[in-house]
């Protein structure tokens, strides 16, 4: 409440399979969203964790809760090394997370000459692996899609997000 600079490191954030009832972080967002002036960040990979932790320690004077799940880190992609911008997440196009599938779909779209509905999948860092699987499945079925990772749960830059969503007919959280 006093806007003191503190970094809370939340390991096992969100649901934690196989750890039993006492080791669940499933309520961490609900609990920490109510704390005044506290920023809540989620991370997607080891590289993203390093960037976000460095920012939380040296890039702000406000309190930060940095959360990550109990899971294996996904393969690194260039977007995970983007600098932190308060309230903004990571926007990842299909040519970055599935280049071969995306190229094939682009060729099909050029031949068809049709405009297809685009889908934007939105997730926290802890749900990136599942979201990536869903995005690749959509691409294989001929649906253009991208992923937006909420690096910040709080604060959230609504204007930035709404501007990103303009080309998308469907947005899935």
């Amino acid at each position: 409440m006093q806007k003191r600079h503190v970094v809370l490191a939340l390991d096992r954030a969100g649901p934690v399979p196989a750890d039993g009832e006492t080791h669940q972080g499933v309520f961490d967002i609900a609990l920490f969203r109510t704390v005044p002036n506290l920023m809540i960040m989620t991370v997607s990979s080891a590289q993203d964790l390093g960037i976000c932790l460095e920012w939380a320690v040296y890039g702000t004077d406000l309190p930060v809760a940095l959360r990550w799940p109990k899971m294996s880190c996904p393969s690194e992609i260039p977007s995970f090394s983007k600098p932190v911008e308060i309230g903004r997440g990571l926007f990842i196009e299909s040519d970055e997370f599935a280049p071969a599938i995306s190229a094939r779909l682009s060729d099909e779209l050029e031949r068809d000459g049709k405009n297809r509905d685009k889908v934007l999948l939105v997730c926290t860092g802890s749900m990136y692996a599942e979201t990536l699987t869903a995005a690749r499945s959509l691409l294989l079925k001929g649906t253009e899609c991208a992923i937006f990772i909420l690096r910040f749960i709080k604060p959230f830059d609504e204007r930035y997000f709404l501007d990103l969503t303009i080309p998308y007919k469907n947005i899935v959280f």
Side-chain angles (χ1 to χ4, degrees):
M1 288 174 51
Q2 296 91 8
K3 298 182 182 179
R4 301 284 184 186
H5 183 223
V6 62
V7 177
L8 304 172
L10 306 177
D11 180 34
R12 287 173 166 74
V16 182
D19 271 7
E21 298 170 357
T22 61
H23 289 74
Q24 296 295 317
V26 73
F27 300 113
D28 65 307
I29 295 172
L31 175 68
F32 287 109
R33 273 192 61 231
T34 62
V35 178
N37 306 309
L38 179 67
M39 291 190 233
I40 304 171
M41 299 180 74
T42 70
V43 299
S44 306
S45 72
Q47 186 174 20
D48 191 32
L49 174 59
I51 289 167
C52 290
L53 181 59
E54 183 175 342
W55 181 85
V57 172
Y58 302 111
T60 184
D61 291 331
L62 293 173
V64 178
L66 189 60
R67 61 189 304 274
W68 63 87
K70 174 191 174 183
M71 60 182 261
S72 300
C73 289
S75 299
E76 298 292 349
I77 57 174
S79 286
F80 291 156
S81 63
K82 290 180 181 173
V84 173
E85 296 180 73
I86 295 176
R88 297 183 177 188
L90 301 173
F91 181 73
I92 308 168
E93 298 268 10
S94 60
D95 59 349
E96 184 175 6
F97 65 78
I101 303 169
S102 181
R104 190 180 80 213
L105 180 59
S106 293
D107 291 344
E108 288 175 15
L109 293 174
E110 279 184 33
R111 280 194 307 271
D112 293 348
K114 296 179 184 176
N115 279 338
R116 296 186 186 175
D117 294 337
K118 294 168 93 176
V119 176
L120 179 63
L121 302 173
V122 182
C123 65
T124 59
S126 62
M127 292 299 296
Y128 173 72
E130 291 84 355
T131 304
L132 180 61
T133 300
R136 287 179 174 156
S137 294
L138 286 170
L139 287 169
L140 287 169
K141 293 182 181 191
T143 301
E144 288 185 86
C145 63
I147 298 172
F148 183 77
I149 302 171
L150 298 165
R151 210 178 220 179
F152 281 85
I153 293 174
K154 177 186 163 193
F156 180 69
D157 188 336
E158 292 175 26
R159 176 78 290 159
Y160 171 77
F161 179 74
L162 291 174
D163 288 344
L164 281 176
T165 64
I166 291 170
Y168 297 91
K169 181 168 172 105
N170 302 294
I171 302 169
V172 179
F173 285 83

